[in-house]
Amino acid sequence: CPEAHLCIISNPVNSTVPIVAETLKAAGTYDPRRLFGVTTLDVVRANKFIGDHLGSDPAAMDVTVIGGHAGTTILPILSEVMPGADEEAIKALTHRIQFGGDEVVQAKDGAGSATLSMAYAGARFATRLADALNGASDVVECSFVESDKVDGCSFFSTRVTLGRNGVETIHDVPTLSAFEQEGLDAMKGDLAAQIQKGIDFVAKQ
């Protein structure tokens, strides 16, 4: 089905999305508007952790999370929702969002990883995409897509406006605090390498 919209949630997303892109290119059916890395779990975690920290309903939160979908490539833009917050609190919450999956593994004593939350995140993104394909307007979600918004990274997650044909608009990287800019600068090399790993995997097949 060459016109299918593909939502990739299998880890490592930073590499599996480029793998799918290169595979589709080889088949002559690649359309970057129809390929999405699902990073919604990072947004869900950010909304929960920040909501709890602020004493707010997590369902009312809408934290932007940019970058990729692994460790320090996950960069929540907390300066948008916690302006003027204590820097140590920002650092601690950022780390918790980046490595939230480790908490789950530890809580399960190594017997499993995030399952219910991953299912919820996947369902949420798929539902939002379906809404857009059916004509809903102003559908905006974070997603790891082919992008030119960050030098050196051919795929990147920012907010994306979804429409009847998939990706309509890839939003710019938002204004960053000094701490967030440092995080972006530090992660770009790792993210680029993980993207390239996916591309190289297909080239060797």
Side-chain angles (χ1 to χ4, degrees), residues 46 50 63-64 76-83 89-90 93-94 97 180:
I50 302 308
V63 180
T64 301
I77 310 305
L78 303 187
S79 60
E80 290 185 336
V81 293
M82 298 174 60
I90 292 287
L93 285 163
T94 296
I97 292 163
E180 290 158 355

Side-chain angles (χ1 to χ4, degrees), residues 3-7 31-36 125-126 128-141 143 145-146 159-171:
E3 295 187 355
H5 292 76
L6 301 178
C7 303
D31 182 346
R33 300 173 302 170
R34 298 172 184 267
L35 177 61
F36 313 88
F125 184 83
R128 293 285 283 163
L129 176 58
D131 289 343
L133 298 179
N134 285 312
S137 59
D138 300 321
V139 178
V140 179
E141 292 289 327
S143 183
V145 298
E146 184 176 312
R159 288 187 181 270
V160 175
T161 299
L162 305 173
R164 288 188 179 275
N165 295 306
V167 174
E168 278 192 351
T169 305
I170 300 172
H171 297 211

Side-chain angles (χ1 to χ4, degrees), residues 28-85:
T29 59
Y30 179 54
D31 182 346
R33 300 173 302 170
R34 298 172 184 267
L35 177 61
F36 313 88
V38 180
T39 60
T40 309
L41 181 54
D42 303 323
V43 175
V44 170
R45 283 181 175 145
N47 290 344
K48 169 61 175 172
F49 298 157
I50 302 308
D52 286 352
H53 180 79
L54 297 176
S56 301
D57 181 359
M61 304 301 298
D62 188 19
V63 180
T64 301
V65 183
I66 68 170
H69 184 57
T72 57
T73 71
I74 300 166
L75 185 60
I77 310 305
L78 303 187
S79 60
E80 290 185 336
V81 293
M82 298 174 60

Side-chain angles (χ1 to χ4, degrees), residues 11-19 37 39 42 65-75 98 143-158 173 183-200:
N11 285 320
V13 167
N14 294 350
S15 299
T16 52
V17 173
I19 286 172
T39 60
D42 303 323
V65 183
I66 68 170
H69 184 57
T72 57
T73 71
I74 300 166
L75 185 60
Q98 291 173 330
S143 183
F144 187 67
V145 298
E146 184 176 312
S147 172
D148 62 0
K149 297 300 182 181
V150 172
D151 290 342
C153 297
S154 54
F155 289 84
F156 200 82
S157 182
T158 53
V173 172
L184 175 60
D185 293 341
M187 72 127 105
K188 286 193 290 187
D190 288 340
L191 180 55
Q194 291 164 23
I195 292 168
Q196 190 61 47
K197 186 175 183 178
I199 293 170
D200 292 344

